[in-house]
mmCIF file of all heavy atoms in Angstrom:
data_model
loop_
_atom_site.group_PDB
_atom_site.id
_atom_site.type_symbol
_atom_site.label_atom_id
_atom_site.label_comp_id
_atom_site.label_asym_id
_atom_site.label_seq_id
_atom_site.Cartn_x
_atom_site.Cartn_y
_atom_site.Cartn_z
ATOM 1 N N LEU J 265 16.302 -45.597 31.894
ATOM 2 C CA LEU J 265 15.189 -46.515 31.652
ATOM 3 C C LEU J 265 13.983 -46.178 32.621
ATOM 4 O O LEU J 265 12.820 -46.371 32.237
ATOM 5 C CB LEU J 265 15.572 -48.035 31.780
ATOM 6 C CG LEU J 265 16.695 -48.429 30.675
ATOM 7 C CD1 LEU J 265 16.816 -49.921 30.855
ATOM 8 C CD2 LEU J 265 16.240 -48.043 29.344
ATOM 9 N N ASN J 266 14.304 -45.733 33.803
ATOM 10 C CA ASN J 266 13.310 -45.455 34.738
ATOM 11 C C ASN J 266 13.080 -43.987 35.097
ATOM 12 O O ASN J 266 12.291 -43.742 36.010
ATOM 13 C CB ASN J 266 13.679 -46.271 35.967
ATOM 14 C CG ASN J 266 13.656 -47.822 35.723
ATOM 15 O OD1 ASN J 266 12.838 -48.377 35.161
ATOM 16 N ND2 ASN J 266 14.811 -48.386 36.235
ATOM 17 N N HIS J 267 13.833 -43.136 34.474
ATOM 18 C CA HIS J 267 13.812 -41.799 35.042
ATOM 19 C C HIS J 267 14.227 -40.771 33.958
ATOM 20 O O HIS J 267 14.900 -41.086 33.045
ATOM 21 C CB HIS J 267 14.733 -41.664 36.173
ATOM 22 C CG HIS J 267 14.652 -40.440 36.958
ATOM 23 N ND1 HIS J 267 13.555 -40.176 37.771
ATOM 24 C CD2 HIS J 267 15.459 -39.449 37.276
ATOM 25 C CE1 HIS J 267 13.612 -38.977 38.423
ATOM 26 N NE2 HIS J 267 14.773 -38.588 38.143
ATOM 27 N N VAL J 268 13.708 -39.591 34.151
ATOM 28 C CA VAL J 268 14.062 -38.525 33.179
ATOM 29 C C VAL J 268 14.118 -37.239 34.044
ATOM 30 O O VAL J 268 13.328 -36.923 34.882
ATOM 31 C CB VAL J 268 13.010 -38.422 32.042
ATOM 32 C CG1 VAL J 268 11.586 -38.300 32.401
ATOM 33 C CG2 VAL J 268 13.452 -37.234 31.174
ATOM 34 N N THR J 269 15.094 -36.413 33.732
ATOM 35 C CA THR J 269 15.173 -35.055 34.380
ATOM 36 C C THR J 269 15.239 -34.061 33.211
ATOM 37 O O THR J 269 15.731 -34.423 32.090
ATOM 38 C CB THR J 269 16.379 -34.961 35.222
ATOM 39 O OG1 THR J 269 17.598 -35.149 34.486
ATOM 40 C CG2 THR J 269 16.351 -35.843 36.346
ATOM 41 N N TYR J 270 14.717 -32.911 33.404
ATOM 42 C CA TYR J 270 14.447 -31.935 32.343
ATOM 43 C C TYR J 270 15.514 -30.837 32.408
ATOM 44 O O TYR J 270 16.029 -30.471 33.399
ATOM 45 C CB TYR J 270 13.103 -31.401 32.514
ATOM 46 C CG TYR J 270 12.010 -32.368 32.519
ATOM 47 C CD1 TYR J 270 11.240 -32.647 33.490
ATOM 48 C CD2 TYR J 270 11.797 -33.194 31.316
ATOM 49 C CE1 TYR J 270 10.235 -33.746 33.558
ATOM 50 C CE2 TYR J 270 10.891 -34.232 31.251
ATOM 51 C CZ TYR J 270 10.015 -34.417 32.491
ATOM 52 O OH TYR J 270 9.215 -35.497 32.453
ATOM 53 N N ASN J 271 15.704 -30.454 31.148
ATOM 54 C CA ASN J 271 16.519 -29.225 30.933
ATOM 55 C C ASN J 271 15.885 -27.923 31.512
ATOM 56 O O ASN J 271 14.656 -28.009 31.855
ATOM 57 C CB ASN J 271 16.712 -29.102 29.393
ATOM 58 C CG ASN J 271 17.954 -28.309 29.010
ATOM 59 O OD1 ASN J 271 18.496 -27.539 29.756
ATOM 60 N ND2 ASN J 271 18.333 -28.478 27.705
ATOM 61 N N ASP J 272 16.609 -26.964 31.635
ATOM 62 C CA ASP J 272 16.052 -25.714 32.097
ATOM 63 C C ASP J 272 15.377 -24.997 31.080
ATOM 64 O O ASP J 272 15.458 -25.215 29.974
ATOM 65 C CB ASP J 272 17.290 -24.750 32.684
ATOM 66 C CG ASP J 272 17.986 -25.265 33.738
ATOM 67 O OD1 ASP J 272 17.276 -25.943 34.735
ATOM 68 O OD2 ASP J 272 19.221 -25.137 34.059
ATOM 69 N N PRO J 273 14.378 -24.048 31.462
ATOM 70 C CA PRO J 273 13.759 -23.192 30.504
ATOM 71 C C PRO J 273 14.851 -22.418 29.795
ATOM 72 O O PRO J 273 15.820 -22.104 30.529
ATOM 73 C CB PRO J 273 12.792 -22.361 31.248
ATOM 74 C CG PRO J 273 12.628 -23.036 32.628
ATOM 75 C CD PRO J 273 13.873 -23.828 32.912
ATOM 76 N N PRO J 274 14.681 -22.035 28.673
ATOM 77 C CA PRO J 274 13.523 -22.329 27.732
ATOM 78 C C PRO J 274 13.451 -23.627 27.065
ATOM 79 O O PRO J 274 12.526 -24.042 26.490
ATOM 80 C CB PRO J 274 13.625 -21.140 26.711
ATOM 81 C CG PRO J 274 15.099 -20.965 26.534
ATOM 82 C CD PRO J 274 15.665 -21.178 27.852
ATOM 83 N N HIS J 275 14.790 -24.285 27.129
ATOM 84 C CA HIS J 275 14.893 -25.554 26.186
ATOM 85 C C HIS J 275 13.900 -26.658 26.765
ATOM 86 O O HIS J 275 13.514 -27.502 25.910
ATOM 87 C CB HIS J 275 16.261 -26.111 26.422
ATOM 88 C CG HIS J 275 17.315 -24.957 25.922
ATOM 89 N ND1 HIS J 275 17.280 -24.524 24.667
ATOM 90 C CD2 HIS J 275 18.248 -24.230 26.583
ATOM 91 C CE1 HIS J 275 18.291 -23.547 24.506
ATOM 92 N NE2 HIS J 275 18.740 -23.388 25.744
ATOM 93 N N ARG J 276 13.498 -26.653 28.175
ATOM 94 C CA ARG J 276 12.563 -27.559 28.703
ATOM 95 C C ARG J 276 11.255 -27.628 27.776
ATOM 96 O O ARG J 276 10.527 -28.642 27.710
ATOM 97 C CB ARG J 276 12.279 -27.225 30.137
ATOM 98 C CG ARG J 276 11.340 -28.202 30.821
ATOM 99 C CD ARG J 276 10.891 -27.719 32.094
ATOM 100 N NE ARG J 276 11.955 -27.493 32.990
ATOM 101 C CZ ARG J 276 11.883 -26.855 34.111
ATOM 102 N NH1 ARG J 276 10.764 -26.330 34.541
ATOM 103 N NH2 ARG J 276 13.002 -26.643 34.974
ATOM 104 N N PHE J 277 10.957 -26.477 27.181
ATOM 105 C CA PHE J 277 9.646 -26.429 26.448
ATOM 106 C C PHE J 277 9.769 -26.505 25.002
ATOM 107 O O PHE J 277 8.941 -26.236 24.220
ATOM 108 C CB PHE J 277 8.959 -25.067 26.884
ATOM 109 C CG PHE J 277 8.830 -25.037 28.412
ATOM 110 C CD1 PHE J 277 9.589 -24.026 29.007
ATOM 111 C CD2 PHE J 277 7.890 -25.769 29.024
ATOM 112 C CE1 PHE J 277 9.384 -23.956 30.439
ATOM 113 C CE2 PHE J 277 7.725 -25.600 30.305
ATOM 114 C CZ PHE J 277 8.557 -24.653 31.117
ATOM 115 N N GLU J 278 11.028 -26.810 24.521
ATOM 116 C CA GLU J 278 11.358 -26.822 23.146
ATOM 117 C C GLU J 278 11.890 -28.211 22.693
ATOM 118 O O GLU J 278 12.870 -28.456 22.312
ATOM 119 C CB GLU J 278 12.335 -25.862 22.739
ATOM 120 C CG GLU J 278 11.936 -24.317 22.986
ATOM 121 C CD GLU J 278 12.909 -23.306 22.676
ATOM 122 O OE1 GLU J 278 14.095 -23.676 22.262
ATOM 123 O OE2 GLU J 278 12.668 -22.127 22.712
#
Side-chain angles (χ1 to χ4, degrees):
Chain J
L265 296 187
N266 299 313
H267 193 63
V268 52
T269 58
Y270 302 114
N271 204 336
D272 290 330
H275 304 294
R276 182 189 300 169
F277 305 106
E278 296 177 357

